Amino acid sequence: MKIINTVSIIGLGALGIMYAEHFSTQLGKENVRIVADAQRITTYKRNGVFANGMRCDFHYVTPEQPVSSADLVLVATKFHGLEEALQAVEGHVNEQTIFLSVLNGITSEREIMKKYPKNPVVYCVAQGMDAVKESNELHYDNKGILVIGNEGGELQAHTQAVAAFFEKVQLPYLVEPNMMHRLWGKFMLNVGINQTLAMLEGTYGDVQIEGEARDLMQAAMREVIAIANHEGITLSEADIDYWMDVIATLSPTGKPSMAQDVAAKRKSELPLFAGTVRTLGRTYGIPTPVNDRLFTAISEKELRYR
C-alpha cells in the first residue's frame, strides 16, 4: 500500500485553507505545497491567510516551479476553476500520485480521470463542517469529516492509502462502502441548502427550524431524488432525514459556500447544482420547477453585481 508523505493542494477557499492548515501542522509545511500563480502568492504573503484568527505559515509554489511528485493532490478549487487547476498541478503528478477532490457536485472526479486517466482517484464527500471564508480569513467551529470511497464494494488500495494517511494526520474521516450513494446524497443536500440560502441570503439557522426556507430546501432535494433514481442511485426521504441531522450540527450563524459567494458578489456554482439538475431533468423528462426557480433567482442576483 502506498504511503502518503507529501501533499500538493490547489485552491485556497474555505476547505483548502482548513486542510492546508491541518496538514501543514501535522506533516510540517515543507511537505505540504500550496500551488498558485505568482500574483496570488504575492497577495497571500502580503496580506496573510488566517484560520480562526491565526496567520497560516504555508509553503507556496507556482505551477512552473520544479518540484518532486506529490503522493497526494488535493483539489479544493471552485468547479469553474477545475480545468485550470488540473493543468496547474501537472508538474506535481506521476503515475502513483493519488487525487482527492473536495469539490461539490457529482462530476469533479470524472473530470480528473479524463485529465489523468492513469492516476488513482478517491471519491470524497466533505460534510459537517461550518467553515466560512471572508476575504483572507477563515472561521469554523466544526471541522466535520471527509467521507471517502471508490466505485464498487471492494475497498481499493488507493482508498486504503488515503484512509491510512488520515489516521496518521488525525483528520476525521469515514470510509463509505456505498460511495456513489453518499456522493449523490451530498449533491442532493447541496442542491437544497446551498441554493436556498444563496437565494434568501440566509444562514444555516434559517433551515434548522420549520418554515419557508426549510420547505424550499427540501423541495429542491426531492427533485434530485427523482433524478437519482433514474441514474440507478436509490435516494429516499430517509436520506433527507439523514442530512437534516447533519445540518442540525452546524453553527446557526454559518453559511454554505454559495451564500458566501452571493454575499461577496462572486460567481457561484449555480451551473453545478441547478444547472445539473435541470439538464438531467430534461434528459429524463422529470419536471424541476423548484430548481428552475432557484436558477432564475440566483442568476438574476449574479447579473446585478457583475
Side-chain angles (χ1 to χ4, degrees):
M1 183 177 68
K2 182 180 180 64
I3 298 175
I4 297 172
N5 294 311
T6 58
V7 182
S8 293
I9 298 175
I10 182 80
L12 273 188
L15 295 187
I17 294 173
M18 188 167 69
Y19 297 126
E21 189 269 338
H22 185 98
F23 296 156
S24 295
T25 300
Q26 294 291 323
L27 294 176
K29 75 171 189 176
E30 69 278 2
N31 295 313
V32 182
R33 300 171 298 210
I34 312 302
V35 185
D37 61 54
Q39 183 176 356
R40 287 187 182 182
I41 290 173
T42 298
T43 301
Y44 293 150
K45 289 182 175 180
R46 181 181 63 243
N47 298 336
V49 175
F50 296 85
N52 285 344
M54 299 294 292
R55 184 169 181 140
C56 300
D57 184 20
F58 290 151
H59 173 44
Y60 298 104
V61 298
T62 64
E64 301 79 21
Q65 187 172 332
V67 293
S68 59
S69 299
D71 297 319
L72 176 69
V73 169
L74 178 70
V75 182
T77 60
K78 293 289 189 181
F79 184 76
H80 53 256
L82 179 58
E83 183 177 355
E84 181 181 353
L86 294 180
Q87 183 62 41
V89 298
E90 189 171 22
H92 296 245
V93 178
N94 64 22
E95 289 187 8
Q96 285 73 49
T97 300
I98 300 171
F99 278 88
L100 184 76
S101 166
V102 293
L103 273 67
N104 290 318
I106 53 175
T107 58
S108 65
E109 286 85 0
R110 292 298 181 191
E111 295 302 314
I112 295 170
M113 291 174 188
K114 289 179 185 176
K115 174 67 176 176
Y116 296 101
K118 295 181 180 179
N119 286 86
V121 178
V122 174
Y123 283 85
C124 178
V125 166
Q127 68 180 62
M129 59 285 299
D130 52 14
V132 175
K133 179 174 178 280
E134 296 178 349
S135 185
N136 60 336
E137 298 195 20
L138 171 71
H139 298 278
Y140 63 88
D141 295 320
N142 191 339
K143 192 172 286 188
I145 64 171
L146 288 181
V147 182
I148 59 172
N150 46 249
E151 291 189 75
E154 184 177 349
L155 193 62
Q156 297 173 0
H158 52 274
T159 303
Q160 293 175 343
V162 172
F165 171 67
F166 288 164
E167 286 283 348
K168 180 171 69 173
V169 300
Q170 300 177 52
L171 184 75
Y173 76 98
L174 174 70
V175 176
E176 171 60 69
N178 190 359
M179 192 61 203
M180 303 313 292
H181 179 273
R182 179 71 67 123
L183 196 70
W184 271 85
K186 178 65 185 299
F187 176 63
M188 176 186 71
L189 170 70
N190 278 322
V191 164
I193 196 167
N194 257 291
Q195 298 186 128
T196 297
L197 295 182
M199 187 184 82
L200 300 177
E201 300 184 33
T203 67
Y204 292 126
D206 295 317
V207 293
Q208 289 171 333
I209 58 174
E210 297 292 339
E212 180 183 357
R214 187 182 180 107
D215 291 344
L216 178 63
M217 177 187 71
Q218 292 183 346
M221 294 168 77
R222 291 188 179 99
E223 291 182 353
V224 176
I225 289 177
I227 290 168
N229 290 336
H230 278 269
E231 289 272 323
I233 307 296
T234 304
L235 294 179
S236 68
E237 289 292 319
D239 293 288
I240 292 181
D241 293 340
Y242 169 84
W243 289 108
M244 295 309 300
D245 289 341
V246 173
I247 291 170
T249 68
L250 303 178
S251 170
T253 60
K255 298 178 179 180
S257 58
M258 275 187 71
Q260 295 176 48
D261 291 337
V262 168
K265 294 180 168 52
R266 295 188 297 255
K267 182 179 179 181
S268 77
E269 294 183 307
L270 183 63
L272 185 61
F273 298 137
T276 300
V277 171
R278 296 168 85 221
T279 297
L280 291 175
R282 289 191 294 269
T283 299
Y284 294 122
I286 298 172
T288 57
V290 179
N291 277 276
D292 291 342
R293 175 190 170 192
L294 290 165
F295 187 88
T296 298
I298 298 169
S299 294
E300 289 175 352
K301 284 180 183 288
E302 294 187 358
L303 285 172
R304 284 197 296 270
Y305 61 64
R306 278 183 192 173

